[in-house]
Amino acid sequence: MIHAGWRAEALVDDTHNALEQGLLPASILSDPDIYELEKERIFGRAWVFLAHESEIANPGDYVVRYIVDDSFIVVRDDNGQVQVLFNSCRHRGMQVCRTEKGRGATFVCPYHGWTYRNDGQLIGVPHEKQIYDDEELNKEDIRLISLPRVESHEGWIFGNLDPGAPSLPEYLGDLRWYLRLYTHKSDAGLEVIGTPQRWVVLANWKLGASNFIGDGYHTSTTHLSTVHTGQIVGRPDFLLDGVQVTAGIGGLGFRRLPKELASTRGFPSHIMDSLRRNAPEQVRIVEDGLFPSHGTVFPNLSFLPAASVLKPGDPPVPYFTLRLWRPISPVEIEIWSWFLIERDAPPQLKEASHKALVISFGSSGMLEQDDTENWSSITRAASGQMARRQYFNYRMGLKHLQPMTDWPGPGTAYPLDYTEANERAFFRTWLDYMSRRPSDNGER
Amino acid sequence: MSRKNRVSEHIHRDVSEFLIEEADLLDAGQLREWLDLLTDDVTYRMPVRVTVDREAEPAEDGGYTHFNDDRHTLGMRVERLHTKFAWAEEPRSRTRHFVSNIRVEPGEGNGEVRVKSNLLLYRTRGDSPRHDLLSAERHDVLRQVNGSWKLAQRTILLDQSTVGTHNLAVFL
C-alpha cells in the first residue's frame, strides 16, 4: 500500500485545526497527495454504494460498478446470491466482463478463454489436460477475487474493500432510521427504472457529497432560475424553513411544506398508508409538514426526493434519485444518477416522475446543470498556488444555532436547513478516516 | 434505406435546409425561435446508452433518458436560459452543430417524413481551450404544418454511454 507524502499528512492536520474554527483549506479539493490518501484511507475502508437489488433481479443478471478505479461485476448468481467480483482474470488480468450490464451464466476471458461461473468459480481452462499438471493448476482453487465485504440495506447494495470494516448497519448508524422515509413509502419497495445516467464533470468528488448533505443555502441563488420559471413552487429560499439532521455516517435536510403536501407530495394515498405502517415513528415528522429532502451517506452516495412542475399551472410531480460521485482524479468525477420509484406506483405517475427527474436532476437537469457549473469552477479555483491561502468559510450556525430538544428522531437536529452543521460533520468524518493510519485498524 | 423509399428531391432539400437552419438558431442562441420550429405535440428524447453484448443490442436503454421532454418542458428549459440566473449557460457556451448524412424517408402520418442525421456538437466554455465533442445520430419526424416543416419527434442516440460534457444545458 502506497503511503502518500508528508504534504498530505500536513494538509490533514491543517484541516483539523481549520475545521475547529469552521474553515476548510481549499487545497483538499485538488491536491494529488490528498487524493492518493483518500483512495487508501476512505475508499479503501468505507462502504461504497454499488447497485440497487432491482437492477439484478434475476439469476445471472449483472451490472458493472466501480470503487474509484476498480471495476467489479455485481451479479446475482445461479443460486440467487449477490456476488461482487473483481473484473480481472486470475491468469493475466484481462477484464472478463466488458459490457455495462447483461445476463449470463459465465464470464469468459477473451485472452486465453478461462471461464468463470457467475459466482466467480473458475470452471473452464482451454487445453487444461494437455498443458497443466494438477500441481500447477487446480480449477477448484481459483475464483475471481471477491470484494472483501458486501452487504445490503433495504435493497441498496454496498461494498467495502476492508475485511475488518464494521458491519453496514453499524456503519450507517442512526442514518438508518431516516432512510426508512425514503425506502418504505410502499410495501412493494423501490425499483430502479432503466440504467443510470453517467457523465463526467471536472470537479472534486467532495463537492457533490457535501452539497447534498447540507447545503440548503445554495438553492436560493444557484437554483433561482427554476423558481422564476415556475418549475419549483415556492420562494427561492424554500429550504430556509426546514430542519437539518446529522445522523450516523451522514445527514439530511427536511423542507417545510403545507402539511397536506408534505405527506402526499403527489403520491397516491396507499403509498403514504404503507409509510404509516412501516415507519410509524418517522411518519410523524412528515405529517407535521417536514418533507424529507437531500442527504448523503459518506463518502459519496447522495439521495434526493423532490418534485417538479411539468406544465405551468399543474401540481408538482414527485421523483427520487440516488447519485454517486465517483472519483476519477483529484479534479474529476463521474456522476451516476439513478431513477427510482415505488414498484406499485401507477404507470402514469412513473412516466411523469421520469420526466420530472430528467428536467430537474441528472445530466440535463435544470437544477443540476448549475450545480456542476459551480463545482467545476470551484475546483479550478482550488487548483493553484493561491489555494494554499484560501480557507472556505463553513461557519454558518457554528456558534449560535442550538440543536432541537423536541426532535422525535435520533442524531442531532437543527431548526433550520440553512446551517453548515452537516457539511462540517461531513468533513469531520472525512478527517476521521484520513487521520487513521492503516496500522490503526490492523491493516498492513 | 432502399432507393424506392426515398422522397422527392425537393423534400430532401427542404428537410436539409430545415436542419441547417435549426442548427443555426441553436448555435446563435435564438432558442425562442427554435421553439417555433417544434410542433405542439413534440417529443424530444435522448435515451441512456448502455454497452451490452452484440446480441442484446440495440443498446438503447428502454427505461431511462438524458432528455424526455415535451413542448412544455422544452419551453421551461428555454425560458430558464432567459432568466439571467441560468449559471450553466451564463455566460453562454460556444457551440457548433455539424449536421450531415441526412437520410429522408416517407413518414407514417399525414405530411410527415422520417429523417436520420448525424450530429457533431462542439462545445467550449469561457476562456478554456478545452472542448467537449458529442457525436450522435438523430432520428426525427418532421411534419408539415400550414405549409412549414416542424419537428414532431426527435430521438438522440449519443455515441457514448458516459456523456463527455459536464451538463446538457445545450440542445442536440
Side-chain angles (χ1 to χ4, degrees):
Chain A
M1 199 174 279
I2 298 160
H3 292 271
W6 59 270
R7 198 170 62 145
E9 302 276 5
L11 248 176
V12 170
D13 285 346
D14 187 31
T15 308
H16 256 296
N17 300 332
L19 198 60
E20 278 173 19
Q21 304 161 58
L23 301 172
L24 193 78
S27 320
I28 68 166
L29 299 180
S30 65
D31 190 277
D33 290 346
I34 285 283
Y35 184 70
E36 285 305 312
L37 209 60
E38 286 175 338
K39 286 198 274 187
E40 177 186 315
R41 294 192 180 174
I42 295 176
F43 293 95
R45 285 172 175 158
W47 286 93
V48 178
F49 180 75
L50 297 169
H52 188 266
E53 280 181 359
S54 62
E55 294 180 271
I56 49 166
N58 302 301
D61 285 354
Y62 68 85
V63 291
V64 171
R65 295 292 147 85
Y66 298 85
I67 297 180
V68 193
D69 302 320
D70 290 315
S71 167
F72 294 96
I73 308 166
V74 181
V75 55
R76 191 172 294 279
D77 71 21
D78 290 341
N79 296 318
Q81 296 299 308
V82 175
Q83 305 280 349
V84 180
L85 309 168
F86 181 44
N87 186 10
S88 175
C89 181
R90 299 308 304 272
H91 180 224
R92 285 292 181 279
M94 174 71 191
Q95 298 195 312
V96 297
C97 182
R98 293 169 301 137
T99 51
E100 292 173 85
K101 67 188 288 191
R103 182 181 291 183
T106 57
F107 298 100
V108 182
C109 179
Y111 200 175
H112 302 90
W114 285 29
T115 301
Y116 300 88
R117 207 165 53 206
N118 58 18
D119 63 358
Q121 180 65 51
L122 181 65
I123 54 169
V125 173
H127 310 292
E128 183 190 355
K129 297 288 175 237
Q130 295 138 281
I131 54 179
Y132 285 112
D133 183 89
D134 280 353
E135 285 177 34
E136 291 168 348
L137 182 88
N138 184 353
K139 290 204 301 292
E140 316 279 292
D141 297 340
I142 298 180
R143 301 173 46 84
L144 291 174
I145 301 174
S146 288
L147 183 63
R149 300 283 297 280
V150 180
E151 290 183 31
S152 175
H153 178 77
E154 315 273 21
W156 302 12
I157 303 168
F158 290 78
N160 199 314
L161 284 162
D162 177 8
S167 72
L168 181 61
E170 208 181 323
Y171 177 83
L172 294 171
D174 285 341
L175 192 60
R176 281 180 304 159
W177 193 88
Y178 294 97
L179 290 178
R180 287 183 83 78
L181 284 165
Y182 303 88
T183 55
H184 278 74
K185 282 216 282 292
S186 152
D187 292 326
L190 290 162
E191 66 176 347
V192 168
I193 306 289
T195 306
Q197 297 176 348
R198 298 168 65 176
W199 75 105
V200 292
V201 179
L202 292 175
N204 182 268
W205 67 272
K206 296 186 287 297
L207 287 164
S210 62
N211 171 285
F212 269 72
I213 201 172
D215 191 336
Y217 181 44
H218 80 291
T219 54
S220 58
T221 301
T222 298
H223 302 313
L224 181 59
S225 66
T226 59
V227 176
H228 279 218
T229 58
Q231 184 184 355
I232 288 187
V233 179
R235 295 156 46 101
D237 57 0
F238 55 87
L239 281 172
L240 175 60
D241 188 2
V243 168
Q244 193 170 99
V245 181
T246 315
I249 197 65
L252 69 159
F254 290 85
R255 172 186 176 181
R256 188 168 298 283
L257 287 170
K259 282 184 186 178
E260 177 56 27
L261 193 55
S263 63
T264 59
R265 206 61 165 134
F267 279 102
S269 59
H270 77 267
I271 283 183
M272 286 312 288
D273 288 344
S274 47
L275 189 61
R276 271 176 211 108
R277 280 195 306 280
N278 292 314
E281 294 172 57
Q282 290 89 334
V283 83
R284 294 213 314 270
I285 298 173
V286 183
E287 287 173 337
D288 273 349
L290 285 166
F291 177 74
S293 179
H294 58 91
T296 291
V297 181
F298 183 88
N300 63 336
L301 174 70
S302 295
F303 49 89
L304 179 77
S308 171
V309 169
L310 292 176
K311 185 178 163 192
D314 282 2
V317 174
Y319 57 81
F320 181 53
T321 176
L322 284 176
R323 49 220 309 94
L324 192 77
W325 321 101
R326 176 192 167 198
I328 300 291
S329 84
V331 293
E332 185 170 13
I333 51 173
E334 181 183 292
I335 308 182
W336 291 59
S337 173
W338 285 261
F339 165 40
L340 299 98
I341 192 161
E342 280 63 28
R343 283 175 197 275
D344 55 348
Q348 311 90 298
L349 179 60
K350 287 186 177 178
E351 180 48 34
S353 182
H354 178 178
K355 286 188 154 193
L357 173 56
V358 165
I359 64 167
S360 305
F361 282 87
S363 50
S364 82
M366 284 186 267
L367 287 94
E368 191 143 12
Q369 287 176 16
D370 294 331
D371 287 323
T372 54
E373 178 77 6
N374 289 345
W375 302 335
S376 51
S377 185
I378 293 167
T379 302
R380 274 199 301 281
S383 295
Q385 295 297 303
M386 286 301 288
R388 302 290 178 81
R389 301 182 197 183
Q390 166 78 303
Y391 289 80
F392 300 134
N393 187 307
Y394 277 80
R395 291 170 59 82
M396 193 190 303
L398 178 67
K399 298 286 182 192
H400 297 296
L401 187 66
Q402 295 301 313
M404 296 164 79
T405 52
D406 57 348
W407 179 250
T412 311
Y414 300 91
L416 281 176
D417 197 24
Y418 275 24
T419 168
E420 282 154 4
N422 271 1
E423 290 172 271
R424 289 190 294 271
F426 175 87
F427 285 104
R428 279 198 302 274
T429 306
W430 182 87
L431 275 171
D432 183 42
Y433 273 82
M434 292 291 275
S435 311
R436 264 193 288 139
R437 290 177 171 77
S439 56
D440 294 354
N441 58 355
E443 285 174 48
R444 192 165 48 86
Chain B
M1 199 177 301
S2 63
R3 289 186 71 80
K4 66 173 188 254
N5 238 358
R6 280 157 69 163
V7 296
S8 71
E9 244 174 66
H10 85 267
I11 289 183
H12 197 285
R13 193 180 56 234
D14 277 3
V15 166
S16 301
E17 279 175 12
F18 176 92
L19 292 178
I20 286 164
E21 280 166 26
E22 186 210 1
D24 186 35
L25 292 177
L26 291 173
D27 290 335
Q30 293 178 272
L31 297 175
R32 285 174 175 147
E33 290 78 1
W34 176 71
L35 285 176
D36 289 338
L37 298 182
L38 314 178
T39 63
D40 290 341
D41 63 349
V42 68
T43 59
Y44 183 91
R45 295 178 65 253
M46 180 166 147
V48 169
R49 303 298 301 274
V50 58
T51 314
V52 294
D53 282 330
R54 198 178 281 262
E55 64 212 45
E57 284 189 291
E60 163 184 347
D61 181 76
Y64 195 31
T65 54
H66 294 284
F67 282 107
N68 188 28
D69 281 55
D70 57 29
R71 183 62 182 71
H72 297 290
T73 58
L74 288 172
M76 229 185 290
R77 290 183 188 276
V78 169
E79 283 317 302
R80 186 183 101 81
L81 294 171
H82 285 87
T83 61
K84 296 191 174 71
F85 306 113
W87 314 113
E89 283 295 308
E90 188 59 57
R92 278 178 56 207
S93 300
R94 293 181 195 83
T95 64
R96 200 60 54 199
H97 288 70
F98 297 88
V99 182
S100 72
N101 303 53
I102 296 166
R103 292 146 282 170
V104 189
E105 277 187 0
E108 272 116 57
N110 227 353
E112 289 184 353
V113 288
R114 288 193 290 153
V115 185
K116 288 183 184 173
S117 61
N118 293 2
L119 176 74
L120 202 59
L121 173 59
Y122 174 94
R123 181 189 192 191
T124 65
R125 276 194 69 59
D127 60 358
S128 168
R130 181 185 177 278
H131 64 266
D132 296 337
L133 205 51
L134 301 178
S135 165
E137 183 175 69
R138 302 187 302 187
H139 294 197
D140 296 344
V141 172
L142 265 54
R143 186 191 302 152
Q144 281 209 304
V145 181
N146 301 325
S148 306
W149 288 102
K150 302 263 183 186
L151 181 68
Q153 286 177 33
R154 171 163 292 166
T155 301
I156 302 147
L157 298 175
L158 193 72
D159 297 318
Q160 280 175 326
S161 71
T162 303
V163 179
T165 190
H166 63 292
N167 60 40
L168 292 168
V170 292
F171 298 101
L172 287 89

